[in-house]
Amino acid sequence: MDRPADTDGEGALPSMARTSLLRELPATPRGLRTRSALIDAGRKVFERLGYLDTRLVDITQEANCSSGTFYTYFAGKEEIFAAILEHAQEDMLHPGMQHVAGDDDPASIVEASNRAYFEAYKRNAKLMGLLEQVANIDPEFSKLRQDRADAFIHRNARSIASLQERGLADPELDPMLTSRALSGMVSRLAFNYFVIGDGHLDGEARPMDDLVYTVTRLWVNALRMPTTH
């Protein structure tokens, strides 16, 4: 799967998958279907058992295929995990503020971006928990993950700087430090809510609208952005 393009024209985002482990796609429709079924099965098993406890036999049983079929497409657990990440990462968003055009309400853009991020996190909550586990045991994957997060942070910093130039954000803030602080706040809140809390915070069920409203107000207030409502 192609990596998502950076919307402000700075190029493709780094991949979380080890590209050296990714093979050429199968040449036949049947091969593509079989590989996709293995990726789907692998993701389910990794999310259910965790990375360390997953065995190849668990994946082949989930996919209802033989070990020989598995080895036709993947050399082992590391390769199929890389393929799962390559397949899923376009939907695994980070808090990214969209470009604000001249006639846009910047606060509304922030709100829409935060909502899209939380919705994507909810869809991928089990996988996000798995990624946290793998990052704690695999330094190379941890670096790939951080490089991708840094790309989003730099993109947010450029958006903040653009708002400052147009008089729509506090000019005294350091764009990069501000982006790191606000992006980190949102991503950690999402992890605590969707992965650890399963829709609860402090033992209380919280609707997603509360999360979107709160983090949006924090962004807007921190940046001293103008609002139309």
Side-chain angles (χ1 to χ4, degrees):
M1 178 180 292
D2 291 338
R3 293 192 293 264
D6 191 337
T7 56
D8 61 8
E10 294 293 331
L13 294 167
S15 175
M16 283 196 300
R18 294 179 186 172
T19 54
S20 61
L21 297 177
L22 298 173
R23 302 185 185 185
E24 292 291 330
L25 294 176
T28 66
R30 180 180 179 181
L32 289 170
R33 289 194 300 269
T34 303
R35 181 180 183 273
S36 180
L38 283 166
I39 288 174
D40 289 343
R43 176 170 174 170
K44 290 177 183 176
V45 174
F46 280 127
E47 289 177 349
R48 183 171 68 242
L49 301 179
Y51 185 79
L52 290 176
D53 291 335
T54 292
R55 303 168 301 165
L56 295 186
V57 66
D58 298 318
I59 297 175
T60 56
Q61 288 178 352
E62 182 73 28
N64 194 27
C65 72
S66 66
S67 59
T69 298
F70 178 92
Y71 286 117
T72 299
Y73 301 96
F74 305 105
K77 188 162 69 170
E78 294 81 5
E79 275 197 14
I80 192 171
F81 185 68
I84 290 167
L85 292 181
E86 181 72 5
H87 188 263
Q89 67 184 354
E90 186 172 356
D91 194 40
M92 294 189 296
L93 302 178
H94 286 254
M97 189 167 62
Q98 305 168 24
H99 176 70
V100 180
D103 57 351
D104 286 335
D105 171 22
S108 295
I109 295 295
V110 171
E111 180 179 11
S113 298
N114 283 330
R115 185 174 297 280
Y117 173 68
F118 283 132
E119 289 175 348
Y121 212 109
K122 180 180 180 180
R123 289 193 299 271
N124 295 282
K126 290 183 179 180
L127 183 58
M128 299 303 280
L130 175 65
L131 299 186
E132 191 83 1
Q133 177 192 114
V134 177
N136 287 330
I137 61 176
D138 186 336
E140 184 174 349
F141 172 71
S142 179
K143 184 179 185 307
L144 290 171
R145 188 185 185 207
Q146 188 59 53
D147 288 345
R148 184 172 167 86
D150 283 346
F152 282 94
I153 289 169
H154 279 76
R155 185 168 69 182
N156 281 350
R158 292 191 294 271
S159 295
I160 292 170
S162 176
L163 290 172
Q164 290 173 320
E165 291 171 1
R166 293 160 53 193
L168 299 175
D170 185 347
E172 296 185 6
L173 290 171
D174 180 293
M176 183 61 66
L177 287 177
T178 303
S179 177
R180 286 195 178 278
L182 294 174
S183 300
M185 170 193 70
V186 177
S187 62
R188 183 46 53 176
L189 178 62
F191 182 80
N192 288 337
Y193 180 80
F194 293 108
V195 178
I196 297 176
D198 192 24
H200 292 69
L201 288 173
D202 302 317
E204 180 182 351
R206 297 273 189 169
M208 190 185 296
D209 284 347
D210 287 0
L211 270 68
V212 174
Y213 174 81
T214 299
V215 299
T216 298
R217 294 311 306 168
L218 289 171
W219 266 80
V220 169
N221 291 343
L223 296 177
R224 297 184 182 177
M225 297 168 62
T227 60
T228 60
H229 59 277

